[in-house]
Amino acid sequence: MEKIRLQARDGASAEILTHGAHVCSWIPANGEEQLFLSKKSEFCEGVAIRGGVPIVFPQFSNLGPLPKHGFARTANWHLVRSGQIEQGAAQAVFELKQTAASLAIWPHAFRAELVVTIAEQSLQLDFSVENHGDAELSFQSALHTYFQVNDIHTTRLHGLQGLRYRDTVTNVDDCVQADEVLTITAETDRIYADLIADVHIEQAHQVLQIRQAGFSDAVVWNPWLEKAAQISDLESHAYQHMICVEAASIMQPVVLAPGQVWAGMQLMSVDTK
Ligand code: TA6
């Protein structure tokens, strides 16, 4: 698997693997690593990477007959181009098309594209899917971003108040986020529907703003101690240093007519306090 290193003129950098078009590292200009990557992650063909930004497509979790979270995160993507673009930003473009293996489990011709752009304090991920077949297709998708945090106990999430969510831990639908601040104090696995505001991850030293478009939902996941201990490629105490906030389309799968294109975006920007 090939690793692409992006460097913007201002020093911001990112690393992306062709395996899964997987963003493994993002360091803003004059900043520190923002993505969590498990030290126990395996980097081998056919295996999903634990951390960074796995691309979930065309199925979320086990909500269908496909492998968990679909096949895009373990597929070999094609690098279309990479390098610096206007105003010193750096960008890499990857594409994935149907293969004999994907057609065997998901009978659709498609082209998926991930555009990774870094500059200054931000990372932008543009994900799109085009239906190349002659029949309608539908899919779920997520940018399953793992953020690195210094201490989960003092990390505060904003921007979810008033939203409906499905609690995947208790299997209760139609919960409502009452509080303005969400702190993680136990295993948390929630699908928030119909986002309206940006989500902010607040830590003592910085605030990371997450804006999304195209994707209607957001997933918040932390396995906490017991669940983490059951995940073989995650160190059991790593849960203290990670939080997944995923831009997702799950509740309402995306439906594409032949020739139609769908696009979703997750834009992350760091503001040091
Ligand atoms: O997005 C949250 C979630 O679906 C959790 O339920 C949890 O299983 C997580 O993804 C990780 O899944 P993975 O297949 O990468 O172990």
Side-chain angles (χ1 to χ4, degrees):
M1 69 187 70
E2 193 187 345
K3 184 190 280 184
I4 287 85
R5 188 176 153 75
L6 285 181
Q7 176 119 39
R9 197 160 55 210
D10 56 29
S13 66
E15 288 178 357
I16 312 113
L17 298 172
T18 47
H19 175 79
H22 200 114
V23 182
C24 292
S25 166
W26 164 45
I27 303 177
N30 307 314
E32 57 190 38
E33 180 60 62
Q34 298 296 321
L35 300 180
F36 170 84
L37 185 63
S38 172
K39 294 188 174 66
K40 288 174 75 179
S41 188
E42 288 179 56
F43 291 89
C44 53
E45 298 294 326
V47 178
I49 293 164
R50 178 72 57 199
V53 189
I55 297 180
V56 172
F57 172 83
Q59 172 188 295
F60 183 77
S61 190
N62 289 319
L63 302 176
L66 299 178
K68 188 176 178 195
H69 286 327
F71 50 76
R73 65 177 177 166
T74 52
N76 197 18
W77 288 58
H78 169 68
L79 173 66
V80 178
R81 60 184 158 80
S82 73
Q84 286 198 358
I85 54 166
E86 67 273 15
Q87 286 154 5
Q91 189 174 73
V93 180
F94 300 84
E95 72 173 8
L96 179 69
K97 291 180 177 171
Q98 74 282 354
T99 60
S102 76
L103 286 168
I105 55 173
W106 199 63
H108 300 287
F110 70 94
R111 178 180 183 273
E113 183 181 79
L114 181 75
V115 182
V116 181
T117 310
I118 52 165
E120 301 177 350
Q121 306 308 309
S122 61
L123 163 68
Q124 181 165 337
L125 302 176
D126 288 283
F127 179 61
S128 60
V129 179
E130 181 169 4
N131 183 354
H132 280 189
D134 46 20
E136 189 175 271
L137 63 77
S138 87
F139 63 87
Q140 295 168 316
S141 174
L143 297 171
H144 194 306
T145 310
Y146 288 70
F147 293 98
Q148 176 159 289
V149 296
N150 286 346
D151 182 2
I152 191 69
H153 301 93
T154 56
T155 299
R156 296 151 63 90
L157 266 60
H158 304 265
L160 301 166
Q161 190 176 31
L163 297 182
R164 282 183 308 110
Y165 66 89
R166 176 190 298 169
D167 190 326
T168 308
V169 177
T170 57
N171 270 323
V172 177
D173 281 319
D174 278 330
C175 306
V176 175
Q177 174 71 32
D179 298 330
E180 198 278 314
V181 176
L182 173 65
T183 46
I184 309 293
T185 55
E187 182 187 357
T188 303
D189 195 353
R190 299 178 176 182
I191 307 169
Y192 288 90
D194 303 323
L195 252 70
I196 28 184
D198 295 343
V199 176
H200 291 87
I201 304 176
E202 183 189 0
Q203 300 185 67
H205 66 297
Q206 70 169 41
V207 178
L208 190 145
Q209 180 192 54
I210 308 164
R211 175 160 297 174
Q212 64 181 60
F215 293 103
S216 48
D217 309 326
V219 179
V220 175
W221 179 59
N222 182 295
W224 215 248
L225 181 59
E226 269 180 30
K227 203 40 151 328
Q230 295 165 20
I231 301 177
S232 63
D233 58 358
L234 192 65
E235 292 161 301
S236 60
H237 288 279
Y239 77 93
Q240 297 175 3
H241 303 295
M242 56 158 276
I243 179 77
C244 287
V245 179
E246 311 165 28
S249 282
I250 301 165
M251 305 293 212
Q252 304 282 343
V254 177
V255 179
L256 288 183
Q260 220 183 345
V261 183
W262 170 89
M265 186 275 301
Q266 190 183 36
L267 169 64
M268 294 138 274
S269 313
V270 181
D271 196 0
T272 311
K273 283 184 180 170

